[in-house]
Amino acid sequence: MNEWPQGRSGDQSGNRYGRGSGSSEPEGARAMPHVRRDAGPGYGRNEPPLPSSLSPRRGGSVPPQQSQGYDDHYDSGYNTGQVYGGGGGGRGRGSDGYGDDGYARPRPRWGRRIKWTLITVVVVVLVASIGTYFWADGKLRREVDLSKVIERPQAGDGTNYLIVGTDSREGMTDDMKQKLHTGGPTDGGRTDSMLILHDGSNGPTLISLPRDSNVEIPSYVGSKSGKQYPARGRHTKLNATYAEDGPALLVRTIEYNTHLHIDHYVEIGFAGFANIVDALGGVEMDIPQAFKDKDSGADFKAGTQTLTGAQALAFVRTRHAFASQDLQRTKNQQKFLAAVAKQAATPGTLLNPFKFYPTLGAGLDTLKVDKDMSLWDLGQMFFAMKDVTGGNGKSMNMPISGSVGGNLVWDQAKLKQLVQQLNNDEPVTVSGN
């Protein structure tokens, strides 16, 4: 016969301690069994739950008579520190952080979820931005070599862009030519608009150069032949220089007659211009006075209206409908280009991939720039153009003093002052026509 106290291995009857008064050990000597925090209904047997006042997690104790019937489920792990697993799935968390089964539930790690969500968003944006950069950079047509321009004036402060709109029919079908009223092909191409955009610390300044401006053709090196042509004192319309030897001679002539250094060259043809407007879904314009022009196809009523690509092209090309002809046309061109830049920079365009990519692609497909121009430079030009209409810039025509042989003559005194202010990156005070 075993003497008390003994381990459970000495229980010959197969009954464990705590079964009742029939035990061979005194009642008071029995160790308090390990009781779960909750032995509620449905757990193992249909035993009644412990009163909440006696629950271990409430700081209560279990008297011997209450412990009978629970010891079958909980062995001597109470003394060994053994942790019993389990817990019903889907049970809620109490206000004290415990679930219905008495075990603590892990709190949601919201900080970690938010952190990984932000990281994912940043990665997606970076990948999209890098992909867009290389896609757009690959579409830029860097075809103009300004290194072939000779005897260039010294560069001043700020950046000067020469923006040229040509009557190039490149990429246009016969139906498009008829719809856009561009007429048949032209030999060598001509410029319909020329603007100098100065971007500096005092805000941008946009200056239109009338295509009928009277200029002197200086000595130059042929862009294709490489042959040097001497100066012959020959005067002609500014747009004729482009037809003679393309962008290089146009830049050389402008620099020679203004003494202003051109940093970058940007050119767009008829088709590209119309496609950009259509990709934007049209451009809203306020036309103060109705006008018609059979040559350009213009037929506009007065008031605010949204212009399609074909209508926009007619608007910026019209000159015969105005008394001042080319001077009024340059003002319309400035007004429209600023409206395009303003609309293209809205969140509705920049944040909408179904509008942003078609608009960017339409421009890049027909845009010609100099070999040193980057996407950053192009973006700077775009936002400087937008600032012209935002009240942070100025737009003007080249100052004119008269005409000779039907060509417009620049006011040399005002021109000298204008160029000095641009080179020194000073606020422009000179007024144009």
Side-chain angles (χ1 to χ4, degrees):
M1 180 176 178
N2 292 333
E3 297 182 358
W4 184 85
Q6 295 185 54
R8 293 178 184 263
S9 58
D11 186 0
Q12 300 299 325
S13 64
N15 294 325
R16 296 187 178 183
Y17 304 136
R19 292 283 178 130
S21 60
S23 172
S24 60
E25 297 179 1
E27 183 75 24
R30 286 179 246 145
M32 187 178 74
H34 176 68
V35 181
R36 285 191 54 165
R37 297 175 185 252
D38 183 349
Y43 186 86
R45 292 169 57 188
N46 293 326
E47 294 106 353
L50 287 173
S52 59
S53 61
L54 300 180
S55 174
R57 71 176 183 185
R58 304 298 184 191
S61 60
V62 184
Q65 64 271 20
Q66 293 274 337
S67 70
Q68 297 177 11
Y70 290 88
D71 195 41
D72 276 345
H73 302 293
Y74 301 95
D75 211 340
S76 57
Y78 177 88
N79 294 321
T80 63
Q82 179 180 349
V83 178
Y84 289 85
R91 297 182 180 177
R93 174 199 292 267
S95 60
D96 58 358
Y98 291 93
D100 292 340
D101 56 1
Y103 285 93
R105 292 282 183 265
R107 297 182 181 275
R109 306 182 72 174
W110 292 110
R112 191 171 188 178
R113 293 181 184 180
I114 293 173
K115 180 186 75 172
W116 282 108
T117 299
L118 291 176
I119 290 174
T120 301
V121 170
V122 170
V123 170
V124 169
V125 170
L126 282 176
V127 171
S129 300
I130 294 172
T132 298
Y133 177 88
F134 284 105
W135 169 76
D137 187 73
K139 293 177 76 68
L140 263 184
R141 299 171 59 181
R142 298 181 175 91
E143 300 178 5
V144 180
D145 189 358
L146 295 183
S147 67
K148 295 182 178 181
V149 180
I150 63 173
E151 301 175 11
R152 308 191 67 184
Q154 185 176 356
D157 296 330
T159 304
N160 298 317
Y161 301 87
L162 177 60
I163 305 171
V164 177
T166 72
D167 61 2
S168 171
R169 276 78 171 169
E170 181 182 0
M172 295 176 63
T173 64
D174 291 338
D175 289 341
M176 290 180 65
K177 293 175 185 177
Q178 184 176 1
K179 178 183 178 182
L180 300 177
H181 296 271
T182 61
T186 58
D187 296 331
R190 296 174 298 189
T191 55
D192 259 32
S193 59
M194 290 161 285
L195 306 95
I196 293 175
L197 175 64
H198 174 82
D199 186 21
S201 58
N202 287 291
T205 301
L206 185 63
I207 308 163
S208 286
L209 310 178
R211 73 173 196 169
D212 292 341
S213 298
N214 189 66
V215 294
E216 180 181 351
I217 304 296
S219 61
Y220 69 95
V221 174
S223 58
K224 295 182 180 179
S225 66
K227 178 181 177 181
Q228 182 160 350
Y229 296 88
R232 293 174 289 177
R234 177 167 57 98
H235 287 74
T236 186
K237 293 181 178 181
L238 181 59
N239 71 330
T241 62
Y242 182 93
E244 184 174 329
D245 196 54
L249 180 56
L250 177 61
V251 171
R252 167 71 173 134
T253 302
I254 291 174
E255 289 188 340
Y256 178 82
N257 285 269
T258 63
H259 304 289
L260 183 70
H261 182 89
I262 301 298
D263 298 292
H264 292 294
Y265 178 92
V266 181
E267 176 188 317
I268 190 167
F270 281 162
F273 184 84
N275 289 340
I276 289 176
V277 175
D278 286 335
L280 284 170
V283 174
E284 187 176 277
M285 288 290 298
D286 181 17
I287 300 177
Q289 185 176 356
F291 65 88
K292 290 184 180 182
D293 181 19
K294 66 177 182 179
D295 291 334
S296 66
D299 185 4
F300 297 104
K301 297 179 180 180
T304 301
Q305 50 206 284
T306 300
L307 307 187
T308 64
Q311 291 173 324
L313 191 57
F315 179 80
V316 299
R317 294 181 62 217
T318 297
R319 65 172 181 162
H320 297 301
F322 311 118
S324 57
Q325 295 205 16
D326 206 34
L327 291 178
Q328 181 59 46
R329 177 167 71 169
T330 56
K331 293 178 181 179
N332 287 345
Q333 290 170 349
Q334 289 181 350
K335 184 178 180 181
F336 187 81
L337 288 176
V340 170
K342 180 179 180 181
Q343 185 163 329
T346 60
T349 299
L350 296 176
L351 301 180
N352 183 356
F354 298 102
K355 183 174 286 188
F356 172 74
Y357 287 103
T359 301
L360 184 61
L364 295 175
D365 281 340
T366 56
L367 204 66
K368 294 181 182 179
V369 299
D370 64 271
K371 293 183 179 296
D372 295 326
M373 193 166 197
S374 66
L375 283 176
W376 175 260
D377 296 322
L378 191 62
Q380 291 291 97
M381 184 198 79
F382 172 80
F383 284 104
M385 183 77 73
K386 176 179 176 293
D387 285 343
V388 171
T389 55
N392 298 322
K394 179 177 182 177
S395 60
M396 58 182 289
N397 274 329
M398 180 67 75
I400 304 296
S401 61
S403 64
V404 56
N407 297 344
L408 300 173
V409 178
W410 294 345
D411 187 316
Q412 293 300 313
K414 289 186 175 181
L415 173 60
K416 182 178 181 180
Q417 183 182 0
L418 173 63
V419 172
Q420 181 179 357
Q421 290 175 343
L422 295 177
N423 280 333
N424 294 333
D425 203 14
E426 301 171 350
V428 173
T429 60
V430 178
S431 60
N433 295 76

